[in-house]
Amino acid sequence: MTESRQEDAPRTGNAPGEPTTVLAGGQVLTPAGWVETDVTLSGGRIASVSSAGSRAVGSVIVEVGGLHVVPGLVDIQINGGFGHDFTQNPETIWDVGKRLPEHGVTAFLPTVITSPEEMITNAMGVMNEGPPGGYKGAIPIGLHLEGPLLSQIRSGTHDTRYLRSPTAVTTDAWSPEEGVRMVTLAPELPGALELIEALAEQGVVVSLGHSNATYDDALAGFQSGATVGTHLYNAMSALHHRDPGLVGALLAEREIVAEIIADGIHTHPAAVRIAWEAKKPDHLVLVTDAMAAMGMGRGRFVISSVDVLVDGTGPRNADGVLAGSALTMDQAIRNLIAFTDCSLGEAIATATANPARTIGDPGRGVLEEGARADITVLGPDLDVELTLVGGTITHRRPS
Ligand code: ZN
């Protein structure tokens, strides 16, 4: 990959002084499929996906021949990473955001798990304050509140002391305007269906999870406005052929999106393949559910109020229960391809267009004229070579 400034080609219409970057000659994943072409970025947006007249005078030309140019990855469930935990220290959203481009991520939903109510308020405060000056990194586009409205018996590693009934929590301020984009809850709890309706009305995406719902409970949740299931298979009522549970409901209902942690630990490769066959191509979403251990290797970490040990079997609490993952989005894509034999383009969509559509953000996750200039460039082995957020280079693989 080389970079130069175009000195001698004729100007082709970019406004004087407007910084323009051209990703030249890559294999570009457009909504119509792969095309070998140039992508011109200007003013934080994709100005064109075409080689015609792309090399204007003054443009910064980044040669990406032989590389895959894809939309920036979007992770809608991430609890922290690089030693930081968003529930305990929401101000570290920006520290983690600066490093997520190393894994191709350009937008994310910082996830706050079950904890005292002031933790949610603190995180909303951080979101509303916005980034520190000069921030360059992945964009947190709203919180994902995973708890406290969860089932006692499907709480996973969540601290059951802080679980709440939907009727006991004030949720009027949970809205995208106040920094809350998504809420995971258990639909079988008293008052849950009314709350799903209210949250959907407030513009919040409601996902069913950490739930012991029957199939009928799940359908009632969908009818009330829930559109997603949180980490399919994990912490939910399992599929029995006479009692399909939440797993069965998520697999059977075609219009409902299923998130999945495709690390081979939370989900067996065969279970991932079943999920792909049921939900492909538009209704499966890769998430990392990563916690502080992501990017750190083995050791001791914390998620919310819970101590976690990370060894070769993933992050686990003192009882051996999985407590988030150490997965990265680029690895999740490699795993999905290995587990399902889906195509690279299909796998990328589960980490870009599908999550963006799930959270109602159509300006992200696509590589077309007018979309945000959030772009990831992958090598042949799917290593992240280059990441741009809003047209600004935020990561470049060391050569
Ligand atoms: Zn969870």
Side-chain angles (χ1 to χ4, degrees):
M1 191 166 51
T2 60
E3 186 175 315
S4 62
R5 190 169 286 271
Q6 192 71 9
E7 305 289 3
D8 52 2
R11 172 168 282 283
T12 54
N14 288 305
E18 191 174 73
T20 298
T21 301
V22 181
L23 302 175
Q27 295 293 328
V28 180
L29 184 59
T30 73
W34 294 102
V35 184
E36 184 175 322
T37 189
D38 295 349
V39 181
T40 302
L41 315 174
S42 187
R45 298 268 155 191
I46 297 172
S48 76
V49 183
S50 167
S51 302
S54 58
R55 301 194 177 210
V57 170
S59 297
V60 175
I61 311 288
V62 184
E63 300 287 351
V64 292
L67 303 177
H68 304 289
V69 180
V70 306
L73 311 184
V74 180
D75 188 356
I76 64 174
Q77 186 166 10
I78 170 168
N79 310 290
F82 310 105
H84 300 297
D85 177 53
F86 297 148
T87 302
Q88 275 206 326
N89 301 110
E91 68 281 1
T92 62
I93 286 170
W94 310 111
D95 301 284
V96 174
K98 276 185 205 162
R99 297 201 51 189
L100 285 174
E102 295 170 23
H103 296 287
V105 174
T106 57
F108 63 112
L109 298 190
T111 301
V112 173
I113 74 162
T114 303
S115 51
E117 245 175 295
E118 65 259 28
M119 300 302 219
I120 294 175
T121 315
N122 293 347
M124 289 167 73
V126 169
M127 289 298 295
N128 288 325
E129 208 165 296
Y135 177 75
K136 262 174 60 171
I139 308 291
I141 47 180
L143 299 171
H144 179 168
L145 305 182
E146 194 199 32
L149 313 172
L150 310 178
S151 159
Q152 286 277 349
I153 55 173
R154 296 286 181 181
S155 55
T157 195
H158 290 235
D159 191 333
T160 53
R161 289 177 299 169
Y162 303 119
L163 292 175
R164 292 285 177 272
S165 160
T167 53
V169 174
T170 308
T171 57
D172 297 348
W174 293 5
S175 68
E177 296 72 33
E178 297 295 326
V180 176
R181 193 88 184 204
M182 188 164 175
V183 170
T184 291
L185 56 75
E188 71 277 19
L189 299 179
L193 299 181
E194 293 76 7
L195 183 57
I196 292 170
E197 269 180 40
L199 290 173
E201 188 102 332
Q202 285 159 223
V204 174
V205 177
V206 180
S207 186
L208 306 186
H210 286 272
S211 158
N212 203 39
T214 63
Y215 180 76
D216 289 339
D217 291 333
L219 289 197
F222 302 148
Q223 276 152 14
S224 300
T227 54
V228 191
T230 296
H231 48 55
L232 175 66
Y233 302 119
N234 296 113
M236 61 176 66
S237 40
L239 186 153
H240 183 281
H241 54 288
R242 279 188 291 273
D243 181 11
L246 182 51
V247 169
L250 290 172
L251 290 173
E253 296 301 311
R254 289 197 171 277
E255 294 311 309
I256 300 298
V257 170
E259 291 182 352
I260 196 158
I261 310 168
D263 61 356
I265 297 171
H266 283 76
T267 49
H268 190 283
V272 175
R273 196 153 65 241
I274 290 165
W276 170 248
E277 291 300 329
K279 309 308 292 184
K280 70 181 180 184
D282 297 330
H283 290 81
L284 192 70
V285 167
L286 294 179
V287 295
T288 62
D289 198 18
M291 46 82 71
M294 191 264 282
M296 300 293 285
R298 299 178 181 207
R300 292 188 181 278
F301 301 91
V302 166
I303 182 166
S304 186
S305 52
V306 179
D307 291 319
V308 175
L309 177 67
V310 177
D311 60 17
T313 65
R316 293 180 187 267
N317 71 10
D319 298 325
V321 176
L322 281 166
S325 85
L327 182 64
T328 59
M329 282 298 268
D330 54 326
Q331 185 58 42
I333 291 170
R334 285 186 210 99
N335 290 349
L336 185 69
I337 295 169
F339 296 168
T340 70
D341 278 333
C342 72
S343 71
L344 176 60
E346 289 172 328
I348 299 285
T350 64
T352 56
N354 295 5
R357 201 184 311 109
T358 298
I359 58 167
D361 194 344
R364 285 186 163 86
V366 287
L367 211 161
E368 62 186 359
E369 197 178 312
R372 277 184 57 91
D374 292 357
I375 293 183
T376 298
V377 179
L378 302 170
D381 50 4
L382 307 187
D383 280 349
V384 178
E385 297 282 341
L386 187 72
T387 306
L388 301 98
V389 178
T392 300
I393 293 177
T394 50
H395 169 71
R396 188 194 296 268
R397 187 157 87 139
S399 50

